[in-house]
Amino acid sequence: MAPDSPDTASGSTPGSTPNTTSGTARYEAGQTGLLVKVPEAEPAVRAWRERLDPSALAGVPAHVTVLFPFLDEHLIDATVHAGLAETLGSHRAFDVRFAESRRFPAVLYLAPEPDTQLRLLTRAITDRWPQAQPYGGRFADVVPHLTVAQRQEPEVLAEIEADLARSLPLTTRISSVDLMVHDGVAWRDRASFALRG
C-alpha cells in the first residue's frame, strides 16, 4: 500500500516505499495497512503516481494512510475485524479539502485540510492495538498526506506542483477506512470499515 510518512530528519519516506532499494519497493507478503481512498484525486495524480510513486504500481490507489503497518495478516481474525468496525464506526464521516501541494525532502504530496480527524483515526487504532505504532514508532509526528511523487529532484517536483495547481482545490468525503494486504505480488483490498454516517 502507499503507506507513507515523512522522515524529515533523514529525507526518506519509509512508509511510501518500505525496504526501498534504488526506488523499487520490496513489500512483504502479509503486511497490512489501513487507509482512506481519495478517488477524487485520481484524475490529478494518477499519471504522476504511476511514474513516480512505487506504491501505485503495487496496486495502491490515491489515498491518505491511517496506519502502516497494521497487524500481520495472520493475526487479523474475526475479533480484529469486529474491533476495527467498532473503533472506526465510533468516528463520524467527514470532509477534507486538498488545496495545495507541499513537500517533505524529495517528496511531493497533497495536504488534507483539516487533518485533525485523520490524526484521530490513527490515534484510536493505535490506542486499541498499541503494538501497531505508525511506521514502527520511528516518528514523533505522523503527518497525514497524499503522496504524489517521491525521491525526485526539486525541479521535477516543481513541474508536478505546477501541473497539480490546475486541478486544486478538490474535496472528498471520508466515509470509510480500507484494510489492504500485500499478497507477495501486490496490495489487495481485504475489508472496508464504515465511519458513522
Side-chain angles (χ1 to χ4, degrees):
M1 75 173 277
D4 29 61
S5 176
D7 177 357
T8 54
S10 69
S12 65
T13 54
S16 289
T17 51
N19 306 318
T20 297
T21 304
S22 302
T24 302
R26 293 183 291 126
Y27 301 103
E28 298 174 14
Q31 283 182 314
T32 68
L34 294 159
L35 58 83
V36 293
K37 296 177 181 175
V38 186
E40 293 84 355
E42 290 288 357
V45 305
R46 180 184 296 118
W48 292 115
R49 290 188 67 243
E50 287 175 351
R51 286 175 49 202
L52 304 173
D53 181 5
S55 69
L57 295 179
V60 185
H63 70 282
V64 177
T65 300
V66 174
L67 182 63
F68 177 82
F70 186 50
L71 305 178
D72 286 343
E73 182 183 22
H74 74 278
L75 298 174
I76 299 178
D77 57 13
T79 301
V80 173
H81 272 258
L84 284 168
E86 178 186 359
T87 300
L88 294 168
S90 69
H91 291 259
R92 286 191 178 277
F94 57 95
D95 294 325
V96 294
R97 184 172 185 258
F98 297 87
E100 65 180 3
S101 56
R102 297 181 188 164
R103 296 186 194 187
F104 301 126
V107 174
L108 183 70
Y109 68 95
L110 298 182
E113 299 173 348
D115 68 6
T116 306
Q117 294 302 315
L118 291 161
R119 290 175 181 270
L120 290 175
L121 291 175
T122 300
R123 184 176 307 142
I125 295 166
T126 56
D127 284 349
R128 185 147 188 171
W129 290 277
Q131 69 272 40
Q133 292 299 306
Y135 312 105
R138 290 180 290 167
F139 308 104
D141 183 36
V142 177
V143 179
H145 59 286
L146 191 160
T147 298
V148 178
Q150 53 182 309
R151 291 179 172 78
Q152 300 300 313
E153 296 299 322
E155 58 270 20
V156 175
L157 299 183
E159 177 188 356
I160 301 169
E161 282 178 319
D163 180 62
L164 292 175
R166 293 190 285 270
S167 301
L168 300 178
L170 60 91
T171 302
T172 189
R173 180 81 170 163
I174 305 298
S175 59
S176 63
V177 175
D178 292 301
L179 172 67
M180 296 191 78
V181 61
H182 198 272
D183 64 7
V185 176
W187 287 95
R188 310 288 183 191
D189 289 316
R190 171 77 178 266
S192 186
F193 301 93
L195 302 182
R196 190 154 43 100

